[in-house]
């Protein structure tokens, strides 16, 4: 029954998509016939180079789009189910599970994904969701940190994102995070590598255009972690940054590095107003 | 095809005389970004230039440009179509654009194919690691000449 709905929906999408030009299409994203997700919004005032912002979903093929419209079709949900088991399982020397302190993830983590990266007062640092997960693992569970871009990490990020789906991204850019945000902004406009390409060259100046076989989106992060059909797994956002910088024939930065934390904060803020989609599906 | 093989053979035979390309740092550009003389000292081979322009591993020009006469799949649209480009630019101008388009179009997204310094965090090709030692330009002097020869074939009729 659910599958049938998706097929009909997908068929409906084809009609719209073929009518559109190579820019963002006009399709609307509703997940499970229930969660309406904003994929287009007025650009936040702090993004001078764009007037409208679009989710990457709007640039994908119809089949790829459809895979995200029903959790039964979304391959990321295998990882979400696995992470739910981890959430409830005692691990580490403190004899606790995530649930010991946070109970039902679908209740306690509502809205969390939408505001990360954010300032952590106690630690006095900007924390990505991955950093916060590891902080709770090492300090509260007394368990080992997950590898920053490991499957365990992306699965846990995906699980924590689910209750925020549809909520608008709302990352703070001022106060104690401001200097980090400025650093990320500077990186966004830096032309890295032997090809001398900045994030903005592709994702601000050329979104909607094809670069070889790739239909360029705005490089928004509201869908991360992203299940990619290309490598059939969940992809961590900083792994994506790494790939994009590597492709400019540059020496990239490491996931978890202060530079990528700053870049993630800045890029996330460019999507303020877009609905959280994670875990999303892309090619 | 026969012609290009011949050209290649001639180039090889001439050996020493042609083995003196202008180094990327020594190229002289005109005020408008053109380069008057051949970078390799040898003529370009249009057939080879077509494959340099199509190949991902070499020029990959079609990542950003459409060229109707090439049968490369997935031609991009970041830059203008190169059809008829030889009607718009002279050979010297095209050589300058391919070698370092930033001298013709300030701030262009088009990479500089004959430049080896002035980069931010240059990498070792597509490995993501830091470059070791001196960089090679994206294309050799002869490959630039070959691409330019190919571009010179792109006329409206």
């Amino acid at each position: 029954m659910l599958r049938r709905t998706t097929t009909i929906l997908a068929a409906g999408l084809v009609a719209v998509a073929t009518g559109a030009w190579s820019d963002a299409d006009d399709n609307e994203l509703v997940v499970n016939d229930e969660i309406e997700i904003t994929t287009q919004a007025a650009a936040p005032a702090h993004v001078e180079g764009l007037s409208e912002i679009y989710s990457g979903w709007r640039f994908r093929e119809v089949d790829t789009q459809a895979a995200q419209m029903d959790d039964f079709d979304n391959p990321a949900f295998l990882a979400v189910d696995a992470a739910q088991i981890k959430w409830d399982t005692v691990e580490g020397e403190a004899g606790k599970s995530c649930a010991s302190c946070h109970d039902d993830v679908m209740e306690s983590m509502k809205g969390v994904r939408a505001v990360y990266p954010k300032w952590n007062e106690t630690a006095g640092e900007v924390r990505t969701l991955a950093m916060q997960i590891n902080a709770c693992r090492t300090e509260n569970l007394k368990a080992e940190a997950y590898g920053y871009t490991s499957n365990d990490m992306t699965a846990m990020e995906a699980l924590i994102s689910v209750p925020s789906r549809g909520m608008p991204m709302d990352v703070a850019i001022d106060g104690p995070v401001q200097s980090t945000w400025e650093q990320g902004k500077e990186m966004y406009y830096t032309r890295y590598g032997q090809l001398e390409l900045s994030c903005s060259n592709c994702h601000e100046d050329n979104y909607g255009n094809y670069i070889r076989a790739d239909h360029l989106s705005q490089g928004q992060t509201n869908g991360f972690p992203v299940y990619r059909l290309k490598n059939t797994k969940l992809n961590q956002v900083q792994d994506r940054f790494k790939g994009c910088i590597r492709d400019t024939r540059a020496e990239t930065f490491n996931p978890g590095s202060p530079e990528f934390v700053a870049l993630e904060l800045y890029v996330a803020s460019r999507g303020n107003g877009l609905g959280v989609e994670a875990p999303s599906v892309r090619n | 095809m026969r012609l290009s093989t011949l050209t290649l053979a001639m180039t090889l035979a001439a050996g020493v005389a042609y083995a003196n390309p202008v180094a990327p740092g020594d190229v002289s550009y005109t005020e408008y970004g053109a380069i008057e003389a051949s970078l390799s000292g040898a003529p370009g081979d249009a057939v080879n230039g077509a494959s340099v322009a199509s190949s991902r591993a070499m020029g990959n020009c079609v990542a950003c440009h459409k060229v109707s006469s090439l049968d490369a799949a997935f031609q991009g649209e970041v830059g203008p179509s190169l059809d008829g480009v030889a009607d718009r630019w002279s050979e010297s101008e095209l050589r300058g654009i391919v070698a370092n388009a930033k001298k013709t179009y300030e701030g262009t997204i088009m990479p500089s194919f004959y430049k080896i310094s002035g980069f931010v965090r240059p990498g070792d090709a597509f490995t993501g690691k830091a470059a070791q030692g001196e960089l090679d330009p994206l294309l050799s002097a002869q490959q630039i000449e070959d691409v330019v020869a190919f571009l010179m074939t792109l006329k409206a009729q």
Side-chain angles (χ1 to χ4, degrees):
Chain A
M1 186 57 210
L2 274 168
R3 267 191 186 277
R4 172 120 59 85
T5 324
T6 317
T7 317
I8 296 166
L9 249 156
L13 287 176
V14 177
V16 184
T18 47
W21 193 231
S22 57
D23 286 327
D25 63 32
D26 293 324
N27 295 333
E28 284 173 20
L29 177 54
V30 182
V31 174
N32 302 336
D33 286 329
E34 180 185 326
I35 310 167
E36 291 178 16
I37 299 185
T38 301
T39 57
Q40 174 177 0
H46 58 263
V47 182
E48 296 99 0
L50 299 172
S51 53
E52 289 284 306
I53 52 174
Y54 301 94
S55 158
W57 185 84
R58 295 279 291 277
F59 299 84
R60 304 283 56 97
E61 301 283 340
V62 167
D63 295 354
T64 312
Q65 289 184 333
Q68 200 188 311
M69 298 179 76
D70 192 308
D71 293 351
F72 285 98
D73 296 329
N74 184 337
F77 274 80
L78 288 172
V80 169
D81 292 345
Q84 180 67 66
I85 293 171
K86 294 238 168 173
W87 179 269
D88 294 316
T89 305
V90 171
E91 197 189 335
E93 282 162 28
K96 291 200 166 85
S97 70
C98 312
S100 312
C101 295
H102 297 296
D103 291 321
D104 181 0
V105 62
M106 294 302 149
E107 287 304 321
S108 62
M109 293 292 142
K110 220 176 246 174
V112 169
R113 170 62 178 80
V115 296
Y116 270 78
K118 83 167 193 197
W119 182 252
N120 183 293
E121 194 57 54
T122 324
E125 65 182 9
V126 176
R127 275 193 180 164
T128 61
L129 190 53
M131 288 164 76
Q132 178 61 48
I133 289 169
N134 268 343
C136 275
R137 283 187 59 82
T138 54
E139 291 157 26
N140 292 320
L141 259 52
K142 306 274 180 229
E144 294 234 326
Y146 286 147
Y148 199 90
T149 60
S150 64
N151 292 342
D152 282 333
M153 178 61 86
T154 51
M156 187 57 77
E157 288 178 309
L159 172 71
I160 290 172
S161 301
V162 169
S164 299
R165 280 191 301 177
M167 294 182 177
M169 290 285 296
D170 186 17
V171 170
I173 66 168
D174 50 8
V177 309
Q178 197 196 337
S179 61
T180 307
W181 183 84
E182 297 286 358
Q183 181 190 353
K185 179 176 180 183
E186 190 177 322
M187 289 177 71
Y188 194 86
Y189 290 97
T190 297
R191 300 187 64 163
Y192 288 111
Q194 197 175 0
L195 297 183
E196 298 177 278
L197 295 170
S198 64
C199 315
S200 64
N201 283 147
C202 285
H203 293 300
E204 183 170 287
D205 304 337
N206 279 291
Y207 72 87
N209 284 331
Y210 277 85
I211 186 161
R212 201 92 207 211
D214 294 315
H215 193 193
L216 285 168
S217 73
Q218 291 182 343
Q220 298 285 1
T221 57
N222 59 311
F224 280 84
V226 165
Y227 185 92
R228 290 189 69 187
L229 303 171
K230 180 178 166 179
N231 58 14
T232 62
K233 65 175 189 105
L234 277 170
N235 292 255
Q236 221 275 339
V237 64
Q238 295 192 10
D239 236 353
R240 182 43 128 156
F241 294 171
K242 184 177 164 185
C244 279
I245 293 194
R246 183 194 56 216
D247 288 349
T248 67
R249 297 178 77 112
E251 177 190 2
T252 187
F253 300 91
N254 289 325
S257 64
E259 290 88 355
F260 268 175
V261 171
L263 186 62
E264 183 179 339
L265 171 66
Y266 175 70
V267 179
S269 80
R270 293 173 65 92
N272 276 353
L274 295 177
V276 172
E277 278 178 36
S280 69
V281 183
R282 306 279 190 261
N283 51 309
Chain B
M1 198 55 220
R2 189 153 263 294
L3 193 76
S4 78
T5 318
L6 208 83
T7 318
L8 201 86
M10 282 166 59
T11 313
L12 289 175
V16 190
Y18 289 150
N20 235 343
V22 182
D26 297 337
V27 179
S28 73
Y29 291 85
T30 68
E31 190 186 344
Y32 301 105
I35 303 171
E36 306 285 5
S38 164
L39 291 172
S40 65
D45 170 10
V47 176
N48 194 42
S51 75
V52 171
S54 313
S55 155
R56 265 169 227 274
M58 295 190 274
N60 203 12
C61 315
V62 295
C64 292
H65 295 286
K66 277 198 173 41
V67 186
S68 306
S69 66
L70 291 176
D71 64 358
F74 303 118
Q75 304 191 2
E77 51 190 14
V78 167
S81 161
L82 297 183
D83 292 349
V85 80
D87 299 328
R88 298 193 284 278
W89 301 98
S90 70
E91 185 186 289
S92 310
E93 288 166 337
L94 288 172
R95 185 179 290 115
I97 291 173
V98 180
N100 187 351
K102 285 157 190 97
K103 306 254 184 194
T104 302
Y105 303 96
E106 203 190 324
T108 183
I109 182 177
M110 179 162 154
S112 303
F113 289 90
Y114 204 59
K115 181 180 149 181
I116 53 167
S117 59
F119 303 116
V120 182
R121 293 177 75 88
D124 182 5
F126 291 109
T127 61
K129 302 201 163 66
Q132 300 296 320
E134 184 149 295
L135 290 170
D136 288 326
L138 294 170
L139 295 178
S140 70
Q142 190 56 47
Q143 285 173 326
I144 304 265
E145 293 306 320
D146 293 351
V147 171
V148 170
F150 168 67
L151 294 175
M152 288 305 290
T153 69
L154 303 179
K155 300 206 158 86
Q157 36 258 325

